[in-house]
Amino acid sequence: MAQQQPIFVLPEGTQRLLGRDAQRTNILAGKVLAETVRTTLGPKGMDKMLVDNLGDIVVTNDGVTILKEMDIEHPAAKMLVEVAKTQEDEVGDGTTTAVIIAGELLKQSEDLLDMDIHPTIIAMGYRQAAEKAQEILDEIAISDIDTEMLEKVAMTAMTGKGTEKAREPLAEIVVKAVEQVADNGEVDTDHIKIEKKEGAVVEDTKLVQGVIIDKERVHQGMPSEIKDAKIAILNSALEVKETEVDAEIRITDPNQMQAFIEQEEQMLKDMVSKISDAGANVLFCQKGIDDLAQHYLAKEGILAVRRVKKSDIEKLSKATGATIVSNVEDLTSDDLGNAGSVTEKKVSGENMIFVENCSEPKAVTILVRGSTKHVADEIKRAIEDAIGVVAATVEDGQVVAGGGAPEVAIAKRLKDYAESISGREQLAVNAFAESLEVVPKTLAENAGIDSIDSLVDLRAAHEKSTTMGLNVFNGEVTDMKEAGVIEPKRVKKQAIQSASEAAEMILRIDDVISSSGSGDDAAAAAAAQQQMGGMPGMM
Ligand code: ADP
Ligand code: MG
């Protein structure tokens, strides 16, 4: 009998998990990840301190920030991190919610798997439930949105994020900023610049109708303040172009040298004249400005800033109405933008250029202040979340109540819907409904309130109204719409959708094949073991 040769399909050292083992490990990884961010949910959620390998510290309550800073290895856990990132990109808030729901969907699926329900059936049931959940959300959404409602949306997003002292003024600032840059009901949040400087209290955070540039004027001889500014924006250098090839210029007599220098001087002088003739008294240049040109600009009384970031150049153009010009020769008065004032100001010992009081600017800046770097960072994240939710609300014109209200409302209707479904998918739809209840449960837990009692009360209250949620400050079930705890519909829509998609995807995996990285000790050990086991005679 011929000895059978072993067949190697996969390279040596490849690790493989199959069937239930693969599912169990993936589910476990997802659950562990969700557990990690769970304690941060809601106004009473705790913060996490993250320390990277350089010793840099981030203190935050923001789901996606935590997950981004953590060094996550497990592939299934990485998929949940993606859920958080998508949520962040699409709406800018609800990242913790999305991950917690995904974790709970996975946890619930374990029970179903134990009942021998096939993973594809579970995934299908989840898909059905997720689609139905979207319909329900549309039904319970609230559509009468005014400025006050927008401010409530902003405040809800900032609750528990270190903004407590100044939640109302900050919400006002955020709403004003979003309304300012809104264009036909569309909001490009890139047009709201957030500039952050520590060294002052949160209450000093302010909205600037224009742009703040973290730079100083290029020359001390220039004015540090210009009223009624006429602004030129240049995206090329204000220099005499160096010859492209290494041309050698032979100078034979000193007069020639002199003429050469004079010619260069004249060219720079002409460039500056072009700018002053156009009527500009402020110049923002994306590239460098020659020393001599700086001198001439100063002589003309023009305030100039060089090496301004491309993104800032674009914002400046949006805010002031100036055209970005590539060739100074082409500059005319039509290209200039306007601002009430351009001023160099000291903020915490550093000079910054304030381009302010633009009329009807399409780009604005929020100058975020905080006593220390860590405080300012966390305030900035809270403001970013608030901008995201207010923008989503302005665009969609629809909100839902918070405090677990929509989750309970959807769960209730999903359970009714499950009755109409035959077969084992029904169990999956029910599991989906229960998974959504993890949101109010977690809000309660994090506030030290009995989560089972709260859920019972919430379910009862939902017999009458869809806006009943949990007030985490007193543990009572209240009408969240009246309490002013409001969230954009899009946050919930996106959270439910991406959580469900991630859970479905993880459930459908029954084979994890990991190639061994070179430094992977575990894989190497496994490979060594295999080799030893495979050649007993050699020992
Ligand atoms: P996420 O990253 O998911 O946005 P948060 O920590 O911001 O996580 O918590 C959001 C949850 O907190 C939402 O369910 C929201 O409705 C709830 N919430 C916010 N403010 C209140 C409040 N005052 N009372 C009860 N729940 C609140
Ligand atoms: Mg939030």
Side-chain angles (χ1 to χ4, degrees):
M1 202 173 75
Q3 169 111 33
Q4 211 175 346
Q5 285 289 326
I7 301 171
F8 293 106
V9 178
L10 298 169
E12 223 173 290
T14 304
Q15 279 189 313
R16 200 162 172 195
L17 274 175
L18 274 164
R20 292 283 285 159
D21 284 340
Q23 275 144 8
R24 288 233 179 272
T25 340
N26 285 340
I27 288 173
L28 184 65
K31 270 168 45 185
V32 167
L33 193 77
E35 271 320 301
T36 316
V37 292
R38 192 185 165 109
T39 54
T40 68
L41 185 80
K44 294 268 185 152
M46 303 293 280
D47 295 346
K48 298 218 179 272
M49 181 186 257
L50 302 150
V51 187
D52 70 10
N53 49 14
L54 297 172
D56 281 341
I57 296 170
V58 177
V59 177
T60 185
N61 177 292
D62 190 41
V64 72
T65 308
I66 297 167
L67 296 175
K68 272 190 202 155
E69 296 281 333
M70 277 165 60
D71 211 358
I72 288 160
E73 281 265 341
H74 196 281
K78 277 186 181 157
M79 289 171 73
L80 291 204
V81 177
E82 288 307 312
V83 169
K85 284 189 188 157
T86 312
Q87 184 76 21
E88 169 90 345
D89 294 343
E90 296 291 320
V91 236
D93 190 30
T95 52
T96 317
T97 306
V99 173
I100 292 179
I101 295 177
E104 192 65 19
L105 285 171
L106 290 173
K107 190 171 160 193
Q108 295 273 345
S109 66
E110 240 179 354
D111 297 341
L112 299 175
L113 288 172
D114 285 344
M115 288 160 71
D116 264 341
I117 300 179
H118 197 272
T120 53
I121 305 251
I122 306 173
M124 241 149 61
Y126 278 5
R127 161 88 37 103
Q128 261 176 299
E131 277 167 16
K132 186 72 189 169
Q134 303 294 354
E135 282 173 34
I136 300 169
L137 257 177
D138 290 338
E139 283 162 26
I140 62 172
I142 304 163
S143 300
D144 47 344
I145 311 295
D146 54 12
T147 301
E148 203 190 326
M149 192 69 113
L150 290 177
E151 282 171 8
K152 285 177 184 162
V153 169
M155 279 199 268
T156 303
M158 288 190 288
T159 314
K161 309 255 181 228
T163 57
E164 264 37 57
K165 282 192 294 174
R167 223 155 48 100
E168 276 180 44
L170 290 181
E172 266 175 48
I173 288 176
V174 167
V175 171
K176 263 200 204 124
V178 172
E179 284 182 335
Q180 189 71 56
V181 302
D183 195 1
N184 279 325
E186 297 278 312
V187 182
D188 185 346
T189 49
D190 284 347
H191 295 158
I192 303 175
K193 187 180 178 195
I194 303 181
E195 201 51 73
K196 175 195 71 180
K197 273 274 178 284
E198 58 254 33
V201 289
V202 181
E203 290 91 323
D204 288 341
T205 297
K206 66 172 192 163
L207 177 67
V208 171
Q209 298 284 340
V211 187
I212 303 174
I213 308 287
D214 197 356
K215 293 264 168 195
E216 49 188 14
R217 62 197 204 277
V218 282
H219 192 285
Q220 289 304 310
M222 291 174 176
S224 61
E225 175 167 25
I226 303 257
K227 292 269 180 226
D228 196 10
K230 301 274 178 289
I231 300 163
I233 303 181
L234 202 58
N235 65 3
S236 57
L238 203 62
E239 286 163 357
V240 174
K241 280 200 189 68
E242 306 256 333
T243 34
E244 293 276 321
V245 239
D246 266 337
E248 198 174 313
I249 301 167
R250 240 173 250 280
I251 292 167
T252 44
D253 94 67
N255 289 335
Q256 254 180 329
M257 183 66 191
Q258 190 57 32
F260 189 71
I261 291 171
E262 274 170 15
Q263 193 193 356
E264 247 196 54
E265 278 183 15
Q266 193 55 46
M267 281 163 84
L268 288 168
K269 215 173 187 166
D270 290 347
M271 285 180 183
V272 172
S273 301
K274 200 74 202 163
I275 294 167
S276 61
D277 289 350
N281 49 18
V282 176
L283 169 71
F284 287 104
C285 189
Q286 195 183 320
K287 303 276 168 61
I289 300 177
D290 184 280
D291 287 353
L292 204 55
Q294 291 176 18
H295 165 79
Y296 291 132
L297 285 164
K299 253 171 97 177
E300 293 286 346
I302 296 173
L303 189 167
V305 185
R306 68 172 162 182
R307 302 198 196 289
V308 179
K309 275 191 291 188
K310 184 161 187 272
S311 58
D312 283 345
I313 288 282
E314 279 156 13
K315 288 190 184 87
L316 279 168
S317 160
K318 277 268 167 197
T320 65
T323 316
I324 302 170
V325 173
S326 307
N327 186 350
V328 69
E329 295 298 321
D330 300 337
L331 186 80
T332 71
S333 59
D334 292 343
D335 299 320
L336 302 184
N338 296 293
S341 66
V342 174
T343 327
E344 186 182 273
K345 294 184 195 175
K346 253 201 171 44
V347 182
S348 295
E350 270 179 65
N351 283 327
M352 297 177 106
I353 305 282
F354 285 64
V355 181
E356 283 178 284
N357 303 321
C358 303
S359 64
E360 296 300 311
K362 286 287 162 224
V364 296
T365 306
I366 298 175
L367 179 60
V368 173
R369 306 305 308 267
S371 46
T372 69
K373 181 177 174 297
H374 299 134
V375 173
D377 283 345
E378 184 70 342
I379 302 287
K380 181 177 176 215
R381 281 190 288 269
I383 287 186
E384 280 167 348
D385 281 5
I387 291 174
V389 291
V390 173
T393 311
V394 167
E395 288 188 346
D396 301 349
Q398 283 194 316
V399 293
V400 290
E407 288 85 358
V408 176
I410 297 170
K412 183 175 180 311
R413 282 160 185 71
L414 272 183
K415 282 177 196 165
D416 295 341
Y417 168 69
E419 302 281 316
S420 71
I421 295 173
S422 58
R424 302 184 137 200
E425 274 104 338
Q426 185 184 50
L427 296 172
V429 174
N430 261 320
F432 194 99
E434 266 169 42
S435 303
L436 294 180
E437 289 177 339
V438 73
V439 173
K441 265 198 273 187
T442 310
L443 286 173
E445 271 166 30
N446 289 349
I449 303 165
D450 188 303
S451 62
I452 303 199
D453 286 353
S454 304
L455 200 56
V456 171
D457 291 349
L458 274 169
R459 284 183 187 149
H462 272 257
E463 292 299 329
K464 294 195 203 75
S465 160
T466 57
T467 51
M468 301 302 277
L470 181 68
N471 180 338
V472 291
F473 296 101
N474 61 13
E476 272 166 27
V477 169
T478 13
D479 189 325
M480 284 291 144
K481 190 182 171 205
E482 273 163 29
V485 179
I486 313 275
E487 294 185 276
K489 184 181 84 177
R490 202 194 292 179
V491 168
K492 297 296 169 194
K493 229 183 157 106
Q494 184 67 42
I496 293 173
Q497 187 181 321
S498 39
S500 159
E501 279 169 10
E504 282 166 47
M505 199 181 267
I506 290 174
L507 274 170
R508 285 181 200 275
I509 297 169
D510 77 338
D511 195 351
V512 180
I513 307 161
S514 353
S515 59
S516 63
S518 49
D520 196 341
D521 292 341
Q529 213 171 21
Q530 225 173 27
Q531 231 169 20
M532 273 160 36
M535 297 181 279
M538 302 293 284
M539 298 286 294

